[in-house]
Amino acid sequence: QHLIVESLQHLDSQRLALGQEFIALPLLRMRLMLLAHRSHPLVGRASLTPDDLALFPSPALPMGAAPLLNSHLHEHGLATSPYGSTDYDPERWEAVACDGHTLVYAPEHRLQELESQYQIVPLSYHLGLADVGALVGHRDVLMDPSFKVAMQQFLLLLKASPWAACPGLEWLV
C-alpha cells in the first residue's frame, strides 16, 4: 500500500493518524513474494500474467480485513480461496502450497525457511506489495520531543540486531 514510503524525517510531520488518539510511525517495509511449491506448473516460467495466476487457488483474508491488500491481490488474480480464520497459522497459510497447486505470498526474508520446511519457492512475478512494520502509540507520546531521542536509541539497537539484515527488508527510518 502506497501510504508509507517516506523516511522518518519526512514522516516526522506526517505521521499517520489512526483516529483521534493514536498515530502509526512506519519503521520498515518487507517486500512480499509470490510463492508456490517447487512442483507447481508455474515454477520456472519466465513470464507470468494475472490470468496465469487466476487459474490457481490462493488464500484470501477474511471479508473486510485489509481491503486495499485484498483489492491489489485480486488485480493479480490472487486471493481466490477463503482462508477461514482471523488468526495467522503457517499450517493453514504457507503449508497449503504443498499441494503443488495453491499459490501463497510471504515476506522475502522467510524464503529460506519456507523452502526448507515446505519446498516453497518464489515465482518470477512481481507483486509490488510489502508488509510495513510500524510503531503505534498514543498521539501525546509519539509527538513528545523526548520520544524522538528514545526512538533513535531503540532504532540503533534494532538496526544492530541480526534481524536487521534480512533480505527484502527496507528501513524507513
Side-chain angles (χ1 to χ4, degrees), residues 9-27:
Q9 292 75 26
H10 180 76
L11 286 168
D12 206 22
S13 63
Q14 297 183 11
R15 295 173 181 170
L16 285 102
L18 302 174
Q20 296 294 321
E21 297 183 29
F22 292 95
I23 294 175
L25 177 62
L27 302 176

Side-chain angles (χ1 to χ4, degrees), residues 32-34 53 72-73 76 78 104-106 125-129:
L32 295 177
M33 308 289 293
L34 183 61
L53 305 181
H72 190 80
L73 291 170
H76 292 275
L78 300 168
V104 295
Y105 61 91
Y125 186 85
H126 179 70
L127 281 175
L129 289 171

Side-chain angles (χ1 to χ4, degrees), residues 9-158:
Q9 292 75 26
H10 180 76
L11 286 168
D12 206 22
S13 63
Q14 297 183 11
R15 295 173 181 170
L16 285 102
L18 302 174
Q20 296 294 321
E21 297 183 29
F22 292 95
I23 294 175
L25 177 62
L27 302 176
L28 55 94
R29 179 179 23 228
M30 298 166 284
R31 185 175 46 240
L32 295 177
M33 308 289 293
L34 183 61
L35 310 170
H37 190 268
R38 65 173 58 142
S39 66
H40 194 283
L42 297 180
V43 170
R45 285 196 32 197
S47 178
L48 296 171
T49 68
D51 289 338
D52 295 327
L53 305 181
L55 297 174
F56 299 93
S58 60
L61 296 171
M63 185 67 90
L68 291 175
L69 173 61
N70 276 328
S71 173
H72 190 80
L73 291 170
H74 285 232
E75 289 172 12
H76 292 275
L78 300 168
T80 57
S81 301
Y83 174 59
S85 176
T86 56
D87 297 322
Y88 168 74
D89 176 5
E91 290 300 320
R92 295 186 67 195
W93 192 266
E94 290 93 357
V96 297
C98 290
D99 67 3
H101 193 66
T102 303
L103 303 173
V104 295
Y105 61 91
E108 183 177 357
H109 72 272
R110 296 201 52 223
L111 289 179
Q112 185 176 3
E113 166 201 350
L114 294 172
E115 185 168 6
S116 171
Q117 189 169 5
Y118 301 117
Q119 293 75 52
I120 296 174
V121 296
L123 294 177
S124 181
Y125 186 85
H126 179 70
L127 281 175
L129 289 171
D131 271 343
V132 175
L135 176 69
V136 176
H138 195 277
R139 178 180 300 279
D140 293 344
V141 174
L142 296 186
M143 299 303 279
D144 188 303
S146 62
F147 169 77
K148 191 169 189 170
V149 173
M151 185 66 187
Q152 292 301 329
Q153 293 300 315
F154 170 70
L155 289 172
L156 287 174
L157 291 172
L158 192 58

